[in-house]
Every structure is written in C-alpha cells, then in structure tokens.
C-alpha cells in the first residue's frame, strides 16, 4: 500500500507535467496563429519584391497567360475543335514547355521541338507504311525493331558534345514523338492523320510562342549577357574598395559573426563566382537570336564567356583578399596605419580600371589606350617603398629567431625525456610468457608513442605561434601581396575586353571622350529569370 504522502507527491508531479504540456500546446498554437496572421503580409511583400527587382517578370507572366488563352481557343471554339479535335492539347503543352523568358531561349526550344516533331513524324510514317505492307506479325516485328534501333541511336547521339549542347531537347522530342506515332500505327488505321495532327498542333503552339517572344516586349539573352558582364566588373570594383576600406577603417573580427550572405563584399563578387553556367546558357541562347546590329554580323557571344572566365580568376584573388579580413591573426592597427595611404590609392586605381572597362562594354566602345595610367604605377611604387622602409617588421631581429628555435628544441627534448622515462627494459625471458609479455608491451609502447605525438602537436603549435610575435606584419604582407596580385591580373582582363571590342566591332575611342566613372547596383539577378522547364509531353 502506497503512503498518502507519496501518493500526494505523485499527483502533484502529474499535475505539474499536465500544466507544462498545456502551456507548450498553448504556446505552439499561439506561434502558429501569429504565422498565419503574418502570411498574407509576407506573401505580398515577396510578390512585390520579385516584381520590383525586374518588371520584365510581370510582362513575361502576362505573355504566358495570353499565349495559353490563345491556344485554348482551339478547344473552346467549336469550329476549331471540329477541325483539330483532341490533338489541340499538344498546342497547350507546347506553349507551357517552350515559352521561355528570353527570345533566344524560346527560339532554341521552339525550333528544337518543331524540328524534332517534324522529323519524327516523317520517319514514323515511313516505318508504318513499310510495316503495313507486310503481314500482321511482320508489322509488329518491324515496328519493334525500328523502336529499338531509333531509340538506341538517338540516345547515343545525345552524348555527342555538340548535339548535347544545342539539340538535346530536340532529340528528346524526336524520341517521344516517334515512339507515340510508330507504336500507335499498329492499332490505328490512319497513321498519316496522327502524324499530321501532332505536327500541325505543335506548329501552332511554337508559332504563338515565337510571335510572343519576338514581337511583344522581347527580352534578349544577348542583352542580359552584355549587362551581366558590366555588373560583374562593377561588383569586383566595389568589393576591392570595400575590402581595403574595411581593412584600414573598419572593425576586423576574426570570428566572422556577420552572415556571409549579408556581407556587402561577398555580394560584390558572388555573381562572378556563380556565373559560369549562366554565361554559357545565355551565350547559347543568344546565338539563336536574330542579328539586329547595323553590320548584321555574327556577334561574338562566346567571347563574353571568355571574359567571364577571366573575371572568375580575378574574383578568386578578391575572395582571398576578403579572407584576410576574417583571419584569426591580425596585424595591429598601428602597423596597418603605416601602409594605409598607398594601399587605399592602389585599390582605388584598380577599381577605376575595372569601372572604365565596364563603361566601355556598356557603351560598346573600345577602351582607352592609357587605361593603365601612371597613377597606378605610382601607387605600386609607393607601396613598395613603404614596405622597404620597415624591414624589421617583416624580418625581425636574429636573437628572437634563435630564441624561438631553442624553444622548439627544448620542447622536443622534454617530450623525449618523458618518453624514455616511461619505457624501461625488463629482464630477458625465454618462455612463452615472455613472448606474450613482449607483444603486450610492444602494443602499449606504440600507443604511448601515438599519444605523445598527439600531445606534442598542440605544444609545438602554441610555441610556434608565440615565436611569431616578432612578425606582426606578416598578415599584412599577405594582404598586400594579394592586392598587388589584382594589379597583375588586370592585364588579362584588359586583353579579353579589348578582344571583345575587336570582334564585336565596338566604336573607336576618341581621345576627347571622358569616362563617366559610375558604379551602380546590379539592377537584376539574371540567374533568377530563367526558370527550369523540363515538362514531359
């Protein structure tokens, strides 16, 4: 029998647990209610932000809705439905899959889809005609063999790099259409009507998509690629100046409490590092777009890809420069102040060159022959002179170096003495117990050595760090060397931009022209405008 005191305690504990559970449920219900109340406002803010970043998104949504309405008339209007029938659904599916954000992407997918459907329909009709001339059994064998051979051959062709890059979607549509028509011809009586209806409705859908993309507020992939290159140059210029300003004026924290996505320096070079696939896709789509320049020549969109590759190499140096702001070991502010002026001047000159390159691409004209001005070389020389004027900061006195070496030797000797003190030789035995004892001690000695290695590592690392007290300017030396590296890589960027101007026939630079040095915020994020559309038919 449970005493009354314990029974009362158990009841109190149960009541407390029930109160805690009720409190948790009330809190969860309250939090859920607050989220439900905030959802409409948050949804509206997100919708407004997406449209404000790029108003073309709203226009594209309007064009898709209008295109779907037009092709739906094939179903809704009775005269059109009697002429086309159930095949009108292919026109609707074509609009959903083909109509992309830019005209180049729509042309690429539309022509791929139309060409793939046309070739598949002709080949399926030919196979069905040959198979129908034979008996029923031979017809099934011929169709099966054609499906196998065509399917295997088309799938293998998708691995060819050039076809995979330009016509992969067309091959997928070719496979799908051929199999549908060829297999259906075994049961259907009029295979020609099936192929005709399929090609006819897809042609209507592709025509609606092309008209909407090319004539109604068109968005050009080439223009997006051109503008993204300009913004990438400006973003790198802003990142370099922001790095130097934060290094000499801001509060540098090695812990890096700030989120990387909120860092303005990271935002400047993020678009450059993530641009490889975007640039290649935009260049491919731009190659399908019509030539609307005055010379009607083939525009060198692949050269933009090369410029993007050089900018990524340049961006890796900016990433390393940004990493110097977040290292655990920092040069004291008093030492950094000695080299502040030449570093700020050098960063300003590098940023000025990048912005001038972006302006030349934006205005489609050649760069100035004197884009690498004397001011840049003077800033480099001033930085070199400032570093040479303080040799002790980077080399340090010799006695401290010897002291650090002696400290390392003393630490190693201490660990060695401890190791020899712990291991002692025992008397020699000849029986089996001696062999077993020898094996056991060997294992224990190896374990002891391993533990000593692990204990020695932190001791040596601490001594090594304290021995580097004489080299307070070493972190700054890494920062300065990366800053000079950006100057060295400017030549590669200038060469690719000049090659772009030559291939694209940019207008010549007039000596009287003045560059307007501006650095604008990127108006749009090009990568967010291209929706993945892999709809199945």
């Amino acid at each position: 029998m449970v005493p009354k005191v314990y029974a009362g305690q158990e009841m109190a504990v149960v009541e407390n647990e029930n109160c805690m559970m009720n409190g948790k449920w009330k809190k969860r219900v309250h939090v859920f209610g607050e989220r439900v109340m905030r959802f409409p406002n948050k949804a509206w803010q997100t919708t407004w932000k997406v449209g404000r970043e790029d108003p073309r998104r709203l226009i594209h949504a309007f064009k898709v809705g209008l295109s779907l309405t037009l092709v739906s008339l094939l179903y809704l209007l009775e005269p059109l439905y009697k002429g086309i029938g159930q095949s009108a659904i292919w026109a609707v599916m074509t609009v959903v899959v083909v109509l992309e954000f830019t005209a180049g992407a729509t042309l690429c997918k539309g022509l791929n889809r139309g060409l793939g459907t046309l070739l598949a329909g002709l080949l399926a009709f030919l196979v069905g005609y040959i198979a129908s001339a034979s008996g029923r059994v031979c017809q099934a064998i011929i169709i099966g063999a054609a499906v196998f051979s065509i399917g295997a051959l088309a799938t293998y062709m998708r691995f060819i790099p050039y076809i995979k890059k330009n016509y992969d979607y067309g091959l997928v549509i070719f496979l799908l259409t051929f199999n549908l028509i060829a297999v259906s011809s075994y049961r259907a009586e009029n295979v020609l009507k099936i192929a005709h209806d399929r090609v006819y409705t897809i042609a209507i859908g592709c025509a609606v998509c092309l008209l909407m993309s090319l004539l109604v507020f068109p968005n050009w992939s080439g223009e997006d690629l051109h503008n993204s290159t300009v913004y990438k140059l400006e973003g790198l210029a802003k990142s370099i100046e922001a790095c130097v300003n934060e290094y000499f004026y801001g509060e540098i924290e090695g812990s890096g409490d700030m989120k990387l996505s909120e860092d303005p320096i990271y935002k400047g070079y993020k678009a450059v590092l993530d641009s490889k696939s975007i640039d290649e896709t935009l260049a491919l789509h731009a190659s399908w777009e019509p030539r609307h320049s005055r010379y009607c020549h083939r525009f060198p969109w692949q050269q933009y890809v090369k410029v993007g590759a050089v900018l990524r190499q340049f961006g890796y140096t900016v990433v390393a420069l940004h990493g110097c702001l977040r290292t655990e070991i920092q040069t004291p502010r008093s030492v950094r102040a000695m080299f502040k002026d030449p570093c700020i001047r050098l960063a300003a000159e590098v940023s000025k060159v990048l912005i001038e390159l972006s302006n030349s691409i934006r205005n489609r004209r050649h760069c100035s022959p004197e884009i690498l001005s004397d001011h840049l070389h003077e800033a480099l020389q001033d930085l070199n002179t400032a570093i040479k004027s303080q040799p002790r900061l980077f080399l340090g006195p010799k006695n401290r170096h010897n002291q650090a070496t002696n400290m390392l030797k003393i630490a190693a000797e201490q660990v060695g003495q401890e190791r020899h003190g712990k291991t002692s030789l025992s008397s020699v035995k000849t029986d089996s117990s001696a062999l077993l004892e020898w094996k056991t001690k060997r294992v224990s000695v190896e374990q002891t050595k391993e533990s000593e290695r692990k204990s020695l590592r932190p001791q040596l690392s601490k001594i090594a760090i304290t021995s580097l007290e004489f080299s307070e300017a070493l972190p700054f030396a890494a920062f300065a060397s990366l800053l000079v590296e950006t100057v060295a890589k400017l030549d590669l960027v200038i060469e690719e931009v000049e090659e772009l101007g030559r291939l694209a026939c940019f207008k010549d630079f007039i000596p009287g022209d003045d560059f307007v040095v501006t650095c604008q915020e990127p108006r749009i994020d090009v990568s967010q405008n291209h929706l993945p559309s892999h709809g199945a038919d």
Side-chain angles (χ1 to χ4, degrees):
M1 183 175 180
V2 181
K4 292 183 179 180
V5 177
Y6 293 106
Q9 291 179 353
E10 291 179 358
M11 291 178 63
V13 170
V14 172
E15 289 179 357
N16 290 333
E17 291 180 354
N18 291 334
C19 291
M20 291 176 63
M21 291 295 295
N22 292 333
K24 289 181 179 179
W25 277 107
K26 288 180 180 179
K27 185 176 180 180
R28 292 177 180 176
V29 171
H30 180 68
V31 171
F32 179 75
E34 288 183 348
R35 290 181 178 177
V36 172
M37 294 295 293
R38 290 198 303 263
F39 178 77
N41 186 30
K42 190 174 181 180
W44 168 251
Q45 290 179 355
T46 303
T47 306
W48 177 260
K49 179 182 178 182
V50 171
R52 186 179 59 184
E53 286 178 353
D54 189 359
R56 298 181 302 169
R57 296 168 181 170
L58 183 63
I59 297 175
H60 176 67
F62 170 78
K63 291 195 295 185
V64 172
L66 181 59
S67 301
L68 289 173
T69 304
L70 291 176
V71 295
S72 297
L73 294 177
L74 300 175
Y75 249 81
L76 300 177
L77 297 179
E78 192 68 24
L80 296 177
Y81 181 76
K82 288 182 179 179
I84 298 177
Q86 294 290 337
S87 299
I89 193 63
W90 293 112
V92 179
M93 295 178 65
T94 300
V95 170
V96 173
V97 176
V98 169
L99 189 55
E100 294 286 342
F101 183 79
T102 61
T106 304
L107 279 166
C108 179
K109 297 194 73 173
L111 295 179
N112 268 276
R113 186 179 179 88
L115 186 62
T117 302
L118 180 62
L119 293 178
L122 293 175
L123 185 61
F125 172 73
L126 180 62
V127 171
Y129 179 78
I130 295 174
S132 61
S134 306
R136 194 66 174 170
V137 177
C138 293
Q139 183 181 5
I141 294 174
I142 292 173
I143 291 175
V147 167
F148 171 78
S149 57
I150 297 298
L153 180 61
T155 303
Y156 184 78
M157 290 177 64
R158 293 181 64 189
F159 292 104
I160 300 174
Y162 180 78
I163 294 178
K164 182 179 181 180
K165 180 181 179 181
N166 296 277
Y167 305 106
D168 184 73
Y169 181 71
L171 276 176
V172 173
I173 297 300
F174 172 82
L175 272 176
L176 180 63
T177 305
F178 175 79
N179 281 276
L180 285 176
I181 297 177
V183 174
S184 300
S185 64
Y186 185 73
R187 300 294 180 183
E189 296 181 357
N190 193 354
V191 65
L192 181 61
K193 186 176 185 306
I194 298 175
H196 175 268
D197 292 343
R198 168 98 174 171
V199 173
Y200 185 59
T201 52
I202 288 180
I204 293 175
C206 289
V208 171
C209 292
L210 294 179
L211 290 175
M212 281 291 173
S213 294
L214 297 175
L215 301 180
V216 182
F217 299 104
N219 301 319
W220 305 105
S221 297
E223 198 68 25
D224 282 352
L225 180 59
H226 180 88
N227 292 332
S228 67
T229 305
V230 173
Y231 294 138
K232 284 186 290 187
L233 283 164
E234 294 179 349
L236 289 175
K238 291 180 61 179
S239 293
I240 292 174
E241 281 196 313
C243 275
V244 176
N245 290 332
E246 184 177 345
Y247 191 79
F248 290 104
Y249 294 111
E251 293 293 333
I252 300 175
E253 298 180 359
S255 58
D257 294 333
M258 181 188 293
K259 292 183 179 179
L260 195 61
S261 59
E262 300 174 356
D263 195 336
I265 303 174
Y266 172 73
K267 290 180 180 179
Y269 61 76
K270 177 180 180 295
V272 180
L273 301 182
D274 300 340
S275 64
K276 185 177 186 296
S277 60
I278 299 171
D279 289 351
E280 291 177 352
T281 302
L282 287 175
L284 173 64
H285 293 161
S287 64
W288 288 83
E289 292 176 350
R291 316 285 179 241
H292 50 81
S293 62
R294 57 178 178 172
Y295 299 109
C296 197
H297 55 75
R298 183 175 178 82
F299 208 79
W301 299 118
Q302 290 302 322
Q303 183 62 28
Y304 280 91
V305 178
K306 294 181 180 179
V307 174
V310 173
L311 290 180
R312 279 191 298 276
Q313 295 295 327
F314 190 92
Y316 297 147
T317 306
V318 181
V319 173
L321 198 68
H322 187 202
C324 292
L325 307 181
R326 299 291 178 261
T327 55
E328 295 292 338
I329 304 172
Q330 292 290 342
T331 301
R333 186 174 295 276
S334 58
V335 178
R336 296 201 301 266
M338 301 169 63
F339 310 96
K340 180 179 70 174
D341 292 337
C343 286
I344 291 177
R345 283 184 57 198
L346 186 61
E349 292 298 327
V350 172
S351 299
K352 182 179 178 181
V353 172
L354 292 174
I355 294 173
E356 286 183 355
L357 290 173
S358 69
N359 285 332
S360 67
I361 295 177
R362 178 188 286 113
N363 300 322
R364 289 182 170 86
R365 67 175 174 181
H366 289 282
C367 305
S368 170
E370 299 178 355
I371 189 171
L372 291 177
S373 63
D374 295 334
H375 298 291
L376 181 61
H377 297 289
E378 290 174 1
L380 272 175
Q381 187 64 33
D382 292 344
L383 179 59
N384 187 34
T385 304
I387 291 175
K388 286 184 177 180
S389 64
Q390 303 292 335
R392 289 182 176 273
L393 287 174
F394 301 95
L395 300 178
K398 294 182 179 180
N399 56 351
R400 291 193 180 181
H401 177 71
N402 296 332
Q403 182 181 359
T405 305
N406 293 333
M407 292 173 68
L408 294 174
K409 290 182 179 179
I410 292 171
E413 290 176 359
Q414 288 179 353
V415 174
Q417 289 175 2
E418 293 176 359
R419 182 182 62 189
H420 290 299
K422 290 181 180 178
T423 57
S424 59
L425 295 175
S426 59
S427 58
V428 180
K429 298 182 181 180
T430 57
D431 53 359
S432 60
S433 61
L435 181 60
L436 180 61
E437 184 178 353
W438 177 79
K439 290 183 178 180
T440 306
K441 286 192 174 184
R442 183 178 179 182
V443 173
S444 63
V445 168
E446 290 178 354
Q447 292 176 353
T448 304
K449 289 181 179 179
E450 184 65 25
S451 62
E452 287 174 359
R453 291 193 199 101
K454 292 180 180 179
S455 62
L456 176 62
R457 220 175 284 131
Q459 291 177 12
L460 292 178
S461 62
K462 290 180 180 178
I463 294 172
I465 291 174
T466 54
S467 68
L468 289 176
E469 290 179 356
F470 68 89
S471 55
E472 292 177 336
L474 277 183
F476 169 76
F479 183 85
S481 64
L482 290 170
L483 193 59
V484 175
E485 182 70 14
T486 59
V487 179
K489 289 186 176 180
L490 274 179
D491 289 333
L492 299 176
V493 179
I494 294 173
E495 287 178 4
E496 293 298 334
V497 173
E498 288 179 346
E499 181 67 13
L500 173 63
R502 187 185 66 82
L503 295 175
C505 298
F506 284 176
K507 58 185 178 180
D508 294 332
F509 174 80
I510 301 174
D513 291 347
D514 294 327
F515 277 109
V516 179
V517 179
T518 59
C519 191
Q520 304 173 356
E521 285 287 337
R523 182 170 56 87
I524 57 172
D525 185 2
V526 176
S527 62
Q528 301 298 324
N529 288 337
H530 298 273
L531 303 176
S533 56
H534 306 291
D537 291 316

